[in-house]
Amino acid sequence: MIKIQLEQGPSREEPEGVTPGQALKDLGVAADRQVVAASVDGELLDLTRPLERDCTLAPVRLDSPQGLEIMRHSAAHVMAEAVRSLFPGVKIAIGPAIEAGFYYDFDVPEPFTPEDLARIEKRMAQIVKRNLPFARREVSRDEALRLFQDQGETYKVEILEDIPADQALSLYQQGDFVDLCRGPHVPSTGYIKAFKLTSISGAYWRGDEHRPMLQRLYGTAFATPEELQRHLELLEEAKRRDHRRLGRELGLFLIEEEAGPGMVIYLPKGALLRSLIEDFERREHLRRGYQIVMGPQMLKADLWKRSGHWDNYRDNMYFSQVEETLYGIKPMNCVAHMLIYKSRVRSYRELPLRFFELGTVLRHERSGVLHGLTRVRQFTQDDAHIICTEEQVESEITGVLDFVFEVMAIFGFEYEVELSTRPEKSIGSDAEWELATNALKGALKTRSLPYHICEGEGAFYGPKIDIKLKDALQRRWQCATIQCDFTLPERFDLTYVAADGQRHRPVMLHRVILGSLERFMGVLVEHYAGAFPVWLAPVQVVLLPITDRVHDYAQEIYDLMRAAGLRVELDTRPETLRYKIREAQMQKIPYMVVIGDREAESRTLSPRLRDGTEWKDMPLETFIEWVQEEGRIPTPAKSR
RNA sequence: GCCGGCAUAGCUCAGUGGUAGAGCAGCUGAUUCGUAAUCAGCAGGUCCGGGGUUCGAAUCCCCGUGCCGGCUCCA
């Protein structure tokens, strides 16, 4: 007998080899279809996996993140079975659960069509209805190899060959479909509830563009049809918030083919929004001891050779021949900042030096990756280079982290932190990389921030911390980044004179807070769904006179508000009030001020808010002061 | 860059081998109105570009460009 301890519950003696499913039932845990797997001493197992020794057991329910993931993974297997039965000769590659669903990659002679998607979905429904058990079986390496070789599943064979020899191999089978899989899975196909196939796309085998392009089918699955429905509605909401759509509707920006793909043209309201953000940035950087600098748009190619960009980044750069000399258009702002540092002898007393530039850069992004404002070829970074001593590195990084979090709080973003380490293609010594990586880790530790490590994801010149901010729909965007660089100071022979009178090598940090202003604006538009807070709203107030009789009064109010610094518009078109309100509402203007005979008489205002709230008969001065206050550029609260 | 889809009026879209359409937006006029669309009229097109098939191409084929969804890359 073995002792089964229910997590946070009673325990019980069971015969050796009892299944978690049976044990849970005996322990009084309802054996309905909400329980899809078991957690045994923290390890996720099938409900049918025999238990051999004393353990702590907990049910994994469909409404938990793990339960949902297991069900989605099982749905991927069902999709693969459906595809194989409908498309004989297809080879299956890999099919995991992902954040909002699952996918499976297939090697097929002809790409799938949207009609195929419907057929596959139908076949999956049949498989689910048959409620086939997911049977697990451990096999030897040879047996597994033979099985997949016989089936011609070359991708599975390749996966097998990469699995360490000492690792146990398991197969999962439902119906006559067998897949190599670690598991666990739901007990049977009937556990897969509400699912839907969402899209088709190409994907390289193992993400390598030199390997075959496979066809990837995406799907999603939820515990209930209602949750699936909610998810689909969330996708609809994301579409409504899409900054490309709102950018046009709100008159913020254009991206025109005739101007060039990935080239943003700011319309008046978009340009205003951006300059408000820039004003905020300049003020915050000056407050924190940064110095504003400006570099040229292109620099001689020799400088890019010296910096390492020629060798490591040339493919992403634009060049221009001027008379006899080749110039590189800057893809980064650091090189000019190096020259600023070198413009005179530096003392340790000056360090840290913090050079800030709203620097416009051009990068030749591959054509398939461009996307609205979030991926463009010309963008402006809120870039700074901090040059300091080795001893100052960690506290400078901590300072930048604090800066980032104070700014994120103002815009109302949540975020995640990632630390990226040395990539394959890189410059610098092992010792330098280690020193830099430790400094970044140290700062994260000082602020006790949780973070993920991304091995090999660093920049070619140094490791980095990325802050991925999450928008209102929980999508992640990389904006802020802090990168250590021990190599550029060396390449440009930066030195400072220390207390000992000797020249020493400083360390450099590259960092951005918002990242690309274009990208940040795109994310901001989606985050606020176009309804910007008053301090960022391109138009804060629109005056809506009801009849011609009050146009003079409206004009007077307009002039007063302008003089008071409000961003106000006056709509004197001969349209109905309802019509004007609707338009202002769709433009998401914070305050719509209705002006009729009553207001002209009493010299008051009747503002309507975007949320439909109406304020009656408000004194003019009170309203102006209110909007002035709300429109003030916010000052960050100290985060720590 | 790669895979797939798409490209018709400013926007959203209909039109599938036989005379280019609708709604919204725009313009003109009427309406002077109290919180999300007043009415009428007018104008608006190299059907993405180039080549081909055909008596005839928005429609079929080829090439190119751009966009969309992914992959890869990344602020």
Side-chain angles (χ1 to χ4, degrees):
Chain A
M1 296 295 276
I2 55 174
K3 185 181 172 200
I4 311 282
Q5 171 74 48
L6 184 65
E7 200 171 272
Q8 295 180 339
S11 65
R12 190 186 153 85
E13 298 282 318
E14 290 276 2
E16 230 172 89
V18 68
T19 66
Q22 185 61 45
L24 283 170
K25 201 189 280 179
D26 295 343
L27 283 158
V29 175
D32 57 27
R33 293 208 160 166
Q34 285 303 305
V35 179
V36 293
S39 165
V40 177
D41 292 336
E43 191 188 354
L44 295 177
L45 295 181
D46 300 310
L47 288 176
T48 52
R49 186 85 172 266
L51 299 173
E52 307 295 351
R53 53 179 187 276
D54 295 357
C55 60
T56 306
L57 183 65
V60 175
R61 293 177 179 281
L62 197 47
D63 56 10
S64 71
Q66 297 99 325
L68 198 56
E69 191 181 326
I70 289 166
M71 192 265 275
R72 286 170 173 169
H73 184 195
S74 300
H77 278 227
V78 170
M79 180 165 73
E81 179 184 356
V83 168
R84 209 160 50 193
S85 72
L86 289 167
F87 301 85
V90 63
K91 286 194 220 174
I92 59 175
I94 193 165
I98 52 173
E99 192 162 344
F102 58 89
Y103 69 78
Y104 215 112
D105 286 345
F106 302 95
D107 191 344
V108 273
E110 292 290 314
F112 295 113
T113 66
E115 293 74 49
D116 292 336
L117 226 52
R119 281 171 67 208
I120 295 163
E121 213 173 87
K122 216 167 151 187
R123 179 62 59 95
M124 286 174 69
Q126 291 165 0
I127 296 167
V128 168
K129 201 167 173 198
R130 282 163 62 199
N131 197 21
L132 304 166
F134 279 91
R136 180 180 195 278
R137 153 161 83 95
E138 282 193 22
V139 289
S140 71
R141 205 179 179 73
D142 286 347
E143 193 182 340
L145 274 172
R146 218 175 311 119
L147 177 82
F148 289 113
Q149 268 160 359
D150 288 350
Q151 292 187 354
E153 294 289 2
T154 51
Y155 297 99
K156 292 294 175 194
V157 171
E158 190 177 329
I159 294 169
L160 269 170
E161 281 164 353
D162 286 352
I163 296 177
D166 54 345
Q167 199 173 315
L169 298 174
S170 57
L171 302 178
Y172 277 82
Q173 176 160 10
Q174 85 271 13
D176 51 11
F177 176 84
V178 188
D179 199 353
L180 176 70
C181 185
R182 187 184 299 136
H185 279 282
V186 297
S188 62
T189 58
Y191 278 72
I192 296 161
K193 308 284 170 144
F195 67 92
K196 185 176 169 60
L197 301 191
T198 49
S199 64
I200 313 163
S201 72
Y204 299 108
W205 169 234
R206 302 211 148 163
D208 183 340
E209 60 183 314
H210 304 296
R211 311 213 50 187
M213 172 73 72
L214 306 175
Q215 291 293 310
R216 176 171 298 177
L217 294 181
Y218 285 92
T220 191
F222 286 86
T224 64
E226 293 71 33
E227 283 168 71
L228 175 62
Q229 189 57 32
R230 205 174 312 139
H231 175 74
L232 297 176
E233 279 163 15
L234 199 72
L235 293 182
E236 285 302 309
E237 173 67 14
K239 252 190 224 167
R240 272 192 295 277
R241 288 178 176 232
D242 192 317
H243 73 276
R244 293 166 297 184
R245 174 200 179 113
L246 284 170
R248 187 176 50 241
E249 290 174 356
L250 302 181
L252 299 177
F253 65 92
L254 300 175
I255 298 175
E256 290 287 344
E257 183 181 348
E258 54 183 330
M263 299 295 176
V264 179
I265 299 171
Y266 287 87
L267 298 169
K269 286 177 183 166
L272 179 56
L273 175 59
R274 174 161 151 191
S275 56
L276 288 165
I277 296 170
E278 290 181 352
D279 290 346
F280 168 72
E281 289 252 46
R282 275 187 285 264
R283 191 192 70 184
E284 290 307 312
H285 279 84
L286 290 172
R287 270 159 48 101
R288 289 171 168 80
Y290 287 80
Q291 304 178 74
I292 296 176
V293 297
M294 295 176 189
Q297 209 54 46
M298 56 185 202
L299 300 91
K300 285 185 183 173
D302 284 351
L303 268 182
W304 297 113
K305 285 174 185 164
R306 187 167 184 186
S307 69
H309 288 83
W310 180 268
D311 289 332
N312 291 282
Y313 207 74
R314 193 180 21 184
D315 293 347
N316 283 301
M317 288 177 67
Y318 297 102
F319 292 91
S320 182
Q321 182 88 30
V322 181
E323 292 168 350
E324 295 301 297
T325 312
L326 186 64
Y327 281 76
I329 297 167
K330 66 174 175 178
M332 298 181 194
N333 301 298
C334 38
V335 169
H337 296 191
M338 295 294 92
L339 301 184
I340 294 166
Y341 182 90
K342 279 173 72 76
S343 62
R344 58 186 172 85
V345 176
R346 300 290 182 175
S347 153
Y348 73 99
R349 295 174 192 276
E350 293 179 79
L351 303 184
L353 276 167
R354 307 185 185 102
F355 297 140
F356 170 67
E357 176 171 7
L358 286 165
T360 301
V361 297
L362 281 111
R363 296 184 185 175
H364 177 216
E365 299 295 343
R366 297 157 104 188
S367 56
V369 306
L370 301 173
H371 181 92
L373 290 181
T374 56
R375 197 67 188 278
V376 293
R377 286 188 171 142
Q378 175 178 316
F379 57 100
T380 299
Q381 296 179 302
D382 58 338
D383 202 2
H385 293 91
I386 299 173
I387 300 162
C388 61
T389 66
E390 269 181 30
E391 295 72 41
Q392 291 167 333
V393 172
E394 208 174 299
S395 67
E396 285 303 305
I397 295 170
T398 310
V400 173
L401 286 173
D402 290 346
F403 191 175
V404 171
F405 300 139
E406 286 165 26
V407 169
M408 289 306 129
I410 285 180
F411 291 101
F413 285 113
E414 291 176 50
Y415 44 80
E416 286 175 4
V417 181
E418 288 178 358
L419 175 73
S420 297
T421 59
R422 184 171 195 169
E424 271 178 39
K425 191 179 178 184
S426 61
I427 52 183
S429 72
D430 290 350
E432 287 165 340
W433 275 85
E434 199 183 321
L435 205 63
T437 309
N438 286 337
L440 290 169
K441 281 184 183 163
L444 289 169
K445 205 175 159 201
T446 305
R447 287 294 177 253
S448 31
L449 287 163
Y451 62 93
H452 314 286
I453 293 188
C454 302
E455 296 291 348
E457 304 272 304
F460 69 83
Y461 46 75
K464 59 177 183 170
I465 292 173
D466 290 324
I467 289 99
K468 305 249 160 141
L469 59 86
K470 294 207 267 183
D471 71 9
L473 294 175
Q474 298 302 301
R475 290 171 302 194
R476 274 173 271 278
W477 300 88
Q478 176 166 342
C479 290
T481 172
I482 309 171
Q483 310 182 341
C484 270
D485 191 339
F486 284 74
T487 63
L488 218 45
E490 200 168 306
R491 283 168 172 262
F492 280 88
D493 192 27
L494 303 191
T495 59
Y496 64 91
V497 180
D500 60 7
Q502 301 294 305
R503 287 178 178 252
H504 292 260
R505 181 82 68 217
V507 176
M508 188 172 91
L509 302 176
H510 309 245
R511 48 104 287 186
V512 291
I513 305 295
L514 304 182
S516 140
L517 295 190
E518 281 76 5
R519 173 178 291 179
F520 187 76
M521 279 176 59
V523 177
L524 209 55
V525 167
E526 304 196 355
H527 180 64
Y528 291 128
F532 300 106
V534 176
W535 78 275
L536 287 171
V539 179
Q540 297 170 316
V541 179
V542 62
L543 302 178
L544 307 175
I546 296 173
T547 81
D548 300 358
R549 290 189 300 280
V550 294
H551 278 186
D552 286 347
Y553 178 61
Q555 182 66 47
E556 190 189 330
I557 303 292
Y558 175 82
D559 293 340
L560 279 169
M561 287 183 173
R562 276 274 137 152
L566 303 194
R567 297 190 290 272
V568 57
E569 281 184 356
L570 174 57
D571 184 355
T572 54
R573 293 174 304 169
E575 296 290 350
T576 59
L577 179 63
R578 285 166 62 78
Y579 182 87
K580 293 180 186 181
I581 296 250
R582 176 180 153 83
E583 242 177 37
Q585 196 76 46
M586 290 196 306
Q587 286 296 307
K588 308 186 193 256
I589 296 168
Y591 296 101
M592 291 154 261
V593 174
V594 175
I595 298 174
D597 292 325
R598 199 170 69 224
E599 286 78 15
E601 180 103 0
S602 61
R603 298 194 63 80
T604 60
L605 302 174
S606 296
R608 171 197 162 105
L609 278 58
R610 285 181 284 211
D611 65 5
T613 310
E614 290 172 36
W615 291 341
K616 291 285 184 203
D617 305 318
M618 191 176 210
L620 175 62
E621 293 70 28
T622 313
F623 179 73
I624 289 180
E625 280 165 28
W626 174 266
V627 179
Q628 278 177 329
E629 188 52 40
E630 264 200 297
R632 198 153 286 150
I633 299 176
T635 298
K638 268 271 172 238
S639 63
R640 286 159 211 283

